[in-house]
Amino acid sequence: MNVDNSSLSFKNYKVFNDLTRYCRNKALVYVKRFKEIRNKRQNSIAFLGQVGSGKTHLSIAMNQA
């Protein structure tokens, strides 16, 4: 997948329940705070879930932000 030309973004991420809304919001906060936390020990984020839950979409959106 060529993420440089991807159209996946936070704007077109489809929230379909409370958990996906929570994950999107956490990803947004992570991106906004990355410069602050990048050199700290706890600076990672992981998305775990079933196929089709939006893990790749959020990961690419974070990369594009």
Side-chain angles (χ1 to χ4, degrees), residues 17-32:
N17 61 25
D18 290 338
L19 185 56
T20 56
R21 178 175 289 106
Y22 175 83
C23 291
R24 184 206 52 202
N25 292 342
K26 285 293 183 179
L28 282 165
V29 168
Y30 181 85
V31 167
K32 289 178 183 175

Side-chain angles (χ1 to χ4, degrees), residues 8-42:
L8 301 177
S9 68
F10 287 115
K11 285 184 178 182
N12 63 15
Y13 178 75
K14 300 217 184 326
V15 171
F16 55 89
N17 61 25
D18 290 338
L19 185 56
T20 56
R21 178 175 289 106
Y22 175 83
C23 291
R24 184 206 52 202
N25 292 342
K26 285 293 183 179
L28 282 165
V29 168
Y30 181 85
V31 167
K32 289 178 183 175
R33 293 190 58 219
F34 186 72
K35 287 182 182 178
E36 174 188 336
I37 65 173
R38 69 186 294 170
N39 294 321
K40 295 185 179 180
R41 181 180 166 106
Q42 295 178 333

